[in-house]
Each structure stands twice: as C-alpha cells, then as structure tokens.
Amino acid sequence: MSGIEQITVTADEAGMRLDRWFKSHFPGLGFGHLQKLLRTGQVRVDGKRVDAATRIATGQVVRIPPMQTDARVSAPDTANARPRPRKLNDSDRQAVEAMVLYEDREVMVLNKPAGLAVQGGSGLTRHLDGMLEAFRDAKGEKPRLVHRLDRETSGILLLAKTRKAAQSLTKSFRARQTRKIYWAMVAGVPKPRQGRISTYLARDEENERMRVARHGEEDAQHSVSLYSVVENAGPKVSWVSLRPITGRTHQLRAHMAHIGHPILGDPRYFNIENWEAPGGVQNKLHLHARRIVIPHPSGRGSLDVSAPLPAHMQQTWNLLGFDAAQYDPETNDPED
C-alpha cells in the first residue's frame, strides 16, 4: 500500500473536470474505480466530497487515497500504466541541480530541458515531479510545481519550496499577476507583426491535442495569447515572442497553428503540407519559456528570471543570423 498523496492543481489545469484530471494523472485508473473512490469520500478536493464532474481550480488540493499499484492501473490498460515510483538516486538530485537558474529559501526556478515530462503519465519512466522526491526534507516537504510546461517545451519552470510560497505563487497565477514570455520560431511571418489571438479551446481526446471550439461547447475555455514578431528570415520563418494571458494546455501551439503560423518542429500542430524547414534546422519543437516575472512570495519585490535557449533552438538562431544575446526582452515583449 502506498501513502496518501496531496496534489495541488496547477494554473494550467484550472477549469478541468475532476475525472479528466484523474485521466491525465492516473491514465490507468478505470472510471468505475474512480467513481467508487468518490462515492466513499476517499478522493476529496480541499477536504470536501466531490463528484466526477466537479470543476477544479488553481491551488486546490486533491487528496489521493492509498491505492495498490493495480488499483492505480486497471488491468485492461496496463500498456498505459502510470509508472511505479522509481528508486531515488544521486543522479536525480544532480540532474535537477544542473537545471537551477535561481534558488532561495522559498522558490526554485529551473530551466527544464526539452523532452523531460513535468509529471507522470502513460508510458513515462522519468519525470521531474518524481525526480523532486530527492529533495524531500526532514518535514516531508519537497519542492512543489505551481505550473507546468509541455514535455517538448523547454525553459522556465517555477517551483515553491514551502507550502506558504506555493499558496502565494498560486494566488499570483490565479490573479494573472504573472508575466510569462515564450520564444518560438514559426512558419511564415504573422501579419500584423503584433497581435492578439482570442479563441475558445477544447480537448480533442482522440488526437490528444487541443482544438479551436465554439463558445458554449462542453469544456471549451476562453484562451488569449499575445504575439510580437522580433525578426524574420525573409517570408520563410519568424522569431516570435509570445505571451499567454490565460494558461490552457498547448495554448500557444494551438493558437499559432490557428492563425496559420505553426511552431517549427511541432508534431501535433504543424499543419502546412509539403513545407520544408531551412537546411540545418532540427525537427524539434521550437518553443521555449524564456522569462517569468512574478511577485516574490516573500512580499519583497518581484522575481524576474530568464532562461537561455536550448541547443537545438540556438543552432537555428545561429543558422538564421538571429542574435538572442543582444535582444532586450522588454523591447519586443507583447503587451496587453
């Protein structure tokens, strides 16, 4: 038997139905089993009984009861089993420490590499949340995720080191007091060169992606992103600075594809047939969480951290003659 888990809802998950949240975190758990856990009050949200259709909010805490491994993973779905906890070793701590951009008593800011999942899921054997177990202290606390990045996306990831800091940071995300800037390389040149993308997005469960939906559709959530073209290499590709105002799953990727300028290397959303990338550009997602500005949970000033480009994106910047080092992030950041 494993112990009780308490998982905090991130800003990216706000508005999700509880059953879909469970499907994301525990893909092998059958719906019937979940219903039983809910009926008996073993699963709770902020200490209260809930049902499968309950909409969860940022900062709420979901109680996960002790379950045997085969309860977490229903027998017919073992191919999509949530992995058993890995044995912790020094390499977990060392790998996370190598990602650290900033750290103090209350927060830790990482530069997550592309390809590393933030949380567990189907078929995953290694993910950041599991690696953070190596940092669990004598009080049983470990750094908490307060938001997420897609597995393929690199860059800034903010962690809270105390419960109080987690509550403060979550409140800032909920109140949209956070400024998150992403860099991307996209196909073509968006016109106008600065703009606002506003759509409703809903999950396309069959294709494991987000789709543009109509207002009023089930699970459709309003999503807003700002973009600004920093530089372009002729009409072929553009370096774009992006700012998500809302925090939906795959929001920036879906939005750029929606306006006809998908992000290079995106396996789910790149939708231009017979398009060829410039020579030497790697077929990896060119989306990077470049910078975050957020009130420090101590109440003293703001936290402002930037992350250098990953190797595959830096290679593309070099090939196209773009100089990230001379870019003033405040010059071209999208504004409200």
Side-chain angles (χ1 to χ4, degrees):
M1 298 284 285
S2 58
I4 293 173
E5 291 184 65
Q6 304 280 351
I7 301 180
T8 302
V9 177
T10 66
D12 314 60
E13 299 167 333
M16 288 179 68
R17 283 171 53 114
L18 185 61
D19 53 357
R20 295 198 174 184
W21 182 91
F22 263 91
K23 185 176 181 180
S24 173
H25 285 262
F26 300 89
L29 181 64
F31 184 74
H33 193 163
L34 173 60
Q35 288 283 56
K36 180 179 179 180
L37 295 174
L38 290 166
R39 283 197 309 270
T40 56
Q42 296 182 68
V43 168
R44 299 190 177 221
V45 176
D46 285 349
K48 300 177 181 178
R49 287 178 177 256
V50 288
D51 59 36
T54 296
R55 300 280 178 174
I56 54 176
T58 305
Q60 289 186 320
V61 176
V62 182
R63 179 190 188 273
I64 311 298
M67 295 186 289
Q68 300 209 3
T69 302
D70 59 355
R72 288 171 174 266
V73 182
S74 55
D77 197 23
T78 53
N80 290 323
R82 191 175 195 239
R84 296 186 182 189
R86 297 186 310 112
K87 183 178 180 180
L88 299 177
N89 53 56
D90 290 341
S91 65
D92 285 332
R93 175 176 283 274
Q94 292 167 3
V96 174
E97 287 176 344
M99 304 176 203
V100 174
L101 295 169
Y102 173 84
E103 184 176 9
D104 59 31
R105 292 182 179 180
E106 296 171 279
V107 299
M108 179 186 290
V109 185
L110 306 182
N111 184 11
K112 186 190 83 67
L116 176 63
V118 172
Q119 293 175 307
S122 58
L124 292 177
T125 57
R126 189 168 188 254
H127 54 86
L128 180 61
D129 196 37
M131 297 164 70
L132 291 172
E133 290 291 338
F135 290 79
R136 196 174 287 279
D137 61 21
K139 296 181 180 179
E141 290 195 6
K142 71 172 186 178
R144 294 173 169 84
L145 296 165
V146 292
H147 67 123
R148 297 188 300 174
L149 291 177
D150 298 341
R151 182 177 183 177
E152 303 93 339
T153 302
S154 61
I156 294 283
L157 192 65
L158 180 62
L159 308 174
K161 295 176 67 175
T162 68
R163 184 179 299 275
K164 183 178 179 181
Q167 292 172 342
S168 174
L169 294 170
T170 297
K171 183 178 179 181
S172 293
F173 273 101
R174 188 186 299 129
R176 297 182 183 172
Q177 297 172 331
T178 305
R179 185 181 184 86
K180 292 189 290 183
I181 303 298
Y182 290 72
W183 284 358
M185 191 71 69
V186 304
V189 184
K191 294 181 180 178
R193 292 177 71 91
Q194 286 190 329
R196 179 178 186 269
I197 307 168
S198 176
T199 71
Y200 284 85
L201 293 176
R203 292 176 182 274
D204 180 349
E205 299 286 0
E206 182 177 349
N207 296 307
E208 297 183 345
R209 65 199 300 270
M210 302 299 287
R211 62 177 178 82
V212 174
R214 295 186 304 275
H215 179 45
E217 282 190 46
E218 183 181 4
D219 293 333
Q221 295 181 305
H222 189 222
S223 309
V224 179
S225 303
L226 307 178
Y227 73 85
S228 176
V229 177
V230 182
E231 290 190 51
N232 59 285
K236 188 73 173 179
V237 294
S238 303
W239 167 11
V240 177
S241 181
L242 300 167
R243 183 180 173 196
I245 302 302
T246 53
R248 314 306 182 200
T249 300
H250 295 180
Q251 176 177 312
L252 297 177
R253 298 163 65 179
H255 272 174
M256 294 312 294
H258 174 63
I259 66 169
H261 300 282
I263 299 172
L264 269 59
D266 193 330
R268 301 192 191 198
Y269 295 91
F270 200 94
N271 52 7
I272 304 177
E273 293 186 7
N274 302 319
W275 190 91
E276 293 186 7
V281 174
Q282 296 185 50
N283 188 28
K284 294 182 179 180
L285 183 66
H286 281 57
L287 178 63
H288 178 66
R290 164 65 175 169
R291 181 184 180 204
I292 192 166
V293 184
I294 188 171
H296 195 283
S298 66
R300 298 186 297 273
S302 294
L303 188 65
D304 187 344
V305 185
S306 296
L309 289 171
H312 72 280
M313 290 180 66
Q314 187 62 64
Q315 178 183 2
T316 299
W317 262 239
N318 293 342
L319 286 168
L320 299 175
F322 297 156
D323 186 0
Q326 293 185 0
Y327 175 65
D328 177 359
E330 295 189 0
T331 301
N332 288 86
D333 281 355
E335 296 289 346
D336 290 307

